Amino acid sequence: MVRKIGVLTGGGDCAGLNSAIKWVTKTATDPILAAHHGDSLEVIGIREGWKGLVEVDPGDPESMAKWTAPLDELVVRTWDRQGGTVLGSSRTNPFNPKINKGEKCVDNIKALGLDALVAIGGEDTLSVAFHLYHDLGQKVVGIPKTIDRDLNGTDYTLGYDTALNVITEEVDRLRTTAGSHNRLFVVEVMGRHAGWLALEGGQAAGAHVILIPEYEFEVEKVAQLLEKRRQAGVRYDIVVISEGAKIRGQAEVYISDKIDSFGHKVLGGIGETLAKQLEERTGFETRHVVLSHIQRGGNPSARDRLMGRNFGIAAVDLILEHDFGRMVAYRDGIITSVSLKQAIERLRTVDVDKYYDVHRYNGQRSSLLNHLAKF
Ligand code: F6P
């Protein structure tokens, strides 16, 4: 019998998380549903992701107030309209050998009386969820989120749509100043290993050149594409580049060598590098803009609110079915679920043959006649 569930958000924040928390809570505590399935659930929010589960001392009321929050319909009523996560987030990895707090998580799940746990996160957060389920026998389900949209097994991850809208809006703003000054703008967007944000954001915003981590680019080729446009009479241009994109034969560009608990370095700087090299080669006055965390901010789009709702409801369905070790997912237009193992076994990156035109450095121009797209 499931009586009490915990919910937490881990990794980089994004829009749509609060909607998912709200709908986990509303569904779990819904008296009408409870009358049908017989399980009336209590919901506890764990603050700051896995950090909260590691740090909380369930016997100490002060610690409980600091690291947990009892949730009910009234508490979460207005959360879905807000970006970020009201519960807070962290990049704490309890299975990092330096921390080694996997067992502590299990003890605290027990001491908190949790019969199941909903982990809302990306690859890192869900890999912890998978270990807790697979290696330590905990009843965990996952909800996919990441503005990078690179989780395997799902066509949608929370935060992606809002981030795409931010990119589109910001490039629209840059367009007017770029046009007024006849300048070239290089816009760096997030996307550590996957170029979805750059590719679809760039397409939505009408960028002339889009550069993604999945295809190493040549600066000379980018310069030629832009020169051709100037010759055709276009006075300014926008290049959108993923933070993880690489110049052919070179490594990614990092802000620093500092490594987080999951082993990631902080990417950033490829936009600036490219802007400098393009200005040197073409002579066009060039500026670079790093959209950075602005992409994760703001109120959630309608799609992120709806997907947060759909995923939150589905996560409670999984719990009521006692179907643990799974992540809710959106595949081929329907809400479903996949194993946590499948979700984390690889990243869902851009299939270059299918979606990227390596001659134009932009999206494919054919959807149905794929064989023509290369020309
Ligand atoms: O994982 C999502 C992401 O948005 C990446 O695209 C980016 O590299 C990273 O988070 C930055 O995270 P933070 O600065 O919050 O640690």
Side-chain angles (χ1 to χ4, degrees), residues 91 147-148 190-192 243 293 296:
R91 291 200 184 272
I147 67 165
D148 294 359
M190 281 189 172
R192 206 180 255 158
E243 61 182 355
H293 297 78
R296 301 219 298 240

Side-chain angles (χ1 to χ4, degrees), residues 238-288:
I238 306 282
V239 172
V240 170
I241 185 167
S242 296
E243 61 182 355
K246 295 181 283 284
I247 297 174
R248 183 153 298 163
Q250 296 185 19
E252 289 109 336
V253 180
Y254 296 100
I255 285 173
S256 86
D257 281 344
K258 242 173 80 188
I259 284 179
D260 72 15
S261 184
F262 288 92
H264 308 297
K265 285 201 267 180
V266 183
L267 283 162
I270 184 67
E272 184 176 2
T273 303
L274 177 63
K276 277 187 192 142
Q277 295 192 22
L278 285 176
E279 189 166 83
E280 272 164 30
R281 272 172 211 252
T282 61
F284 304 153
E285 195 177 10
T286 307
R287 296 284 187 270
H288 74 275

Side-chain angles (χ1 to χ4, degrees), residues 55-309:
E55 297 289 336
V56 67
D57 174 358
D60 172 8
E62 239 179 70
S63 170
M64 283 293 283
K66 183 172 177 194
W67 295 111
T68 68
L71 304 179
D72 63 26
E73 185 164 1
L74 280 181
V75 172
V76 298
R77 189 173 60 87
T78 59
W79 286 21
D80 50 347
R81 300 144 219 182
Q82 300 172 45
T85 161
V86 178
L87 289 179
S89 190
S90 68
R91 291 200 184 272
T92 298
N93 175 8
F95 292 98
N96 182 322
K98 280 192 203 145
I99 301 175
N100 203 13
K101 291 277 167 63
E103 294 290 347
K104 180 84 190 290
C105 288
V106 177
D107 292 346
N108 279 343
I109 289 173
K110 212 167 168 192
L112 289 167
L114 302 180
D115 300 305
L117 183 64
V118 181
I120 310 174
E123 178 209 0
D124 296 333
T125 303
L126 296 184
S127 70
V128 173
F130 173 70
H131 282 306
L132 282 173
Y133 166 75
H134 185 261
D135 306 330
L136 301 174
Q138 299 305 296
K139 294 174 177 165
V140 187
V141 300
I143 292 181
K145 75 87 216 172
T146 160
I147 67 165
D148 294 359
R149 207 188 59 178
D150 59 0
L151 264 172
N152 194 37
T154 183
D155 299 338
Y156 195 72
T157 57
L158 295 178
Y160 180 70
D161 185 65
T162 306
L164 271 190
N165 283 308
V166 171
I167 293 170
T168 311
E169 281 170 31
E170 296 303 324
V171 171
D172 278 352
R173 284 200 176 89
L174 290 171
R175 227 167 243 299
T176 54
T177 177
S180 306
H181 291 266
N182 292 348
R183 281 175 178 157
L184 171 62
F185 267 79
V186 177
V187 184
E188 182 181 305
V189 301
M190 281 189 172
R192 206 180 255 158
H193 307 291
W196 296 112
L197 270 180
L199 185 60
E200 296 197 336
Q203 288 175 145
H208 187 55
V209 171
I210 299 172
L211 303 165
I212 59 175
E214 292 85 347
Y215 191 80
E216 294 186 1
F217 65 93
E218 286 168 24
V219 180
E220 189 52 44
K221 167 92 190 195
V222 178
Q224 281 166 13
L225 288 165
L226 296 166
E227 271 157 357
K228 237 177 161 179
R229 283 265 286 186
R230 291 274 167 135
Q231 284 153 17
V234 179
R235 296 178 345 184
Y236 76 94
D237 256 312
I238 306 282
V239 172
V240 170
I241 185 167
S242 296
E243 61 182 355
K246 295 181 283 284
I247 297 174
R248 183 153 298 163
Q250 296 185 19
E252 289 109 336
V253 180
Y254 296 100
I255 285 173
S256 86
D257 281 344
K258 242 173 80 188
I259 284 179
D260 72 15
S261 184
F262 288 92
H264 308 297
K265 285 201 267 180
V266 183
L267 283 162
I270 184 67
E272 184 176 2
T273 303
L274 177 63
K276 277 187 192 142
Q277 295 192 22
L278 285 176
E279 189 166 83
E280 272 164 30
R281 272 172 211 252
T282 61
F284 304 153
E285 195 177 10
T286 307
R287 296 284 187 270
H288 74 275
V289 170
V290 184
L291 290 187
S292 187
H293 297 78
I294 287 170
Q295 294 159 95
R296 301 219 298 240
N299 293 338
S301 66
R303 181 153 205 230
D304 275 319
R305 295 181 203 199
L306 282 172
M307 291 306 284
R309 182 185 195 276

